[in-house]
Amino acid sequence: MPFLTAETTDELDNLATFAQQQIEQVATALHSLSPEQLRQVPSASGMSLGALSRHVLLMAETAARTIAAAPGEGAAPDRAPEQYQAEGGLAPEAAREEDTAESLTELLRTAGQDLADAIRGTDPETRGPVPDQPWFEGRTTWSMRWYALHLVEENARHAGHADILRESIDGRGTYELNALAAGQTWPPEGW
């Protein structure tokens, strides 16, 4: 997927495409990282790109299930809080021993596509239950439109964090990484 978000056709396609694009940008930040770099904690945030990727995966998979379940009871939590923290929390140890830049990239791309498919398959007016998490306090339901916009916002925040972490590791920025991931040279000829 190129750096700029693809053209879209309607509201659901806008929401789906933008949510997927932000997950793709997290995947692009992993391009050509070694296992050591994937686990490196280069900033005061205490975050590695591997752990951030695991967090984005957990959020995307949970969101796709939540959207597919609406309306009704919503997706039941399939992890205890301790599992959630270990698998998708923002701690450096969330990255798994078997994780590589390539394996996480593939998982992120699949999760992005699954989330986009779920968004495209929903009625944006449908209301669904809000997860029982402290950061959603005060809400009991939300429209799938609001939730999809929230996912764009949240994934964009994570993509920006991924950019900062990657630049801190080796100085490579988003434009360069998108070009290299697409098999192009950097800088572009004539630049």
Side-chain angles (χ1 to χ4, degrees):
M1 192 175 249
F3 178 72
L4 294 177
T5 306
E7 289 290 328
T8 57
T9 58
D10 59 28
E11 180 186 18
L12 284 177
D13 191 39
N14 285 336
L15 295 169
T17 301
F18 274 83
Q20 181 180 8
Q21 172 68 4
Q22 296 309 308
I23 294 171
E24 285 279 340
Q25 289 305 299
V26 174
T28 299
L30 305 179
H31 181 74
S32 73
L33 287 176
S34 70
E36 296 77 25
Q37 290 171 314
L38 188 65
R39 288 162 183 76
Q40 188 176 340
V41 179
S43 74
S45 73
M47 177 66 59
S48 72
L49 277 166
L52 180 62
S53 296
R54 280 285 165 195
H55 175 72
V56 171
L57 282 168
L58 180 60
M59 296 301 98
E61 292 164 354
T62 300
R65 283 194 313 275
T66 299
I67 291 169
E73 297 304 311
D78 59 353
R79 292 168 175 86
E82 301 79 29
Q83 288 174 298
Y84 174 81
Q85 183 61 29
E87 293 177 19
L90 298 176
E93 59 272 11
R96 298 177 184 169
E97 188 175 321
E98 69 272 11
D99 286 342
T100 65
E102 296 78 15
S103 68
L104 286 172
T105 295
E106 185 62 33
L107 290 170
L108 286 163
R109 289 190 173 137
T110 298
Q113 182 64 58
D114 291 347
L115 177 58
D117 291 345
I119 292 170
R120 285 186 182 97
T122 193
D123 175 354
E125 295 298 324
T126 299
R127 297 200 67 81
V130 175
D132 184 24
Q133 301 293 339
W135 43 90
F136 295 128
E137 186 176 333
R139 290 183 177 267
T140 56
T141 67
W142 52 29
S143 70
M144 291 300 102
R145 175 182 290 107
W146 187 93
Y147 188 41
L149 283 168
H150 170 69
L151 294 168
V152 172
E153 170 190 46
E154 189 68 13
N155 287 317
R157 183 176 296 119
H158 294 321
H161 195 172
D163 289 345
I164 291 167
L165 292 173
R166 179 57 190 257
E167 289 175 16
S168 298
I169 291 171
D170 64 5
R172 287 188 162 166
T174 302
Y175 286 99
E176 177 181 7
L177 290 168
N178 275 273
L180 295 173
Q184 300 166 355
T185 58
W186 187 261
E189 197 171 309
W191 234 43

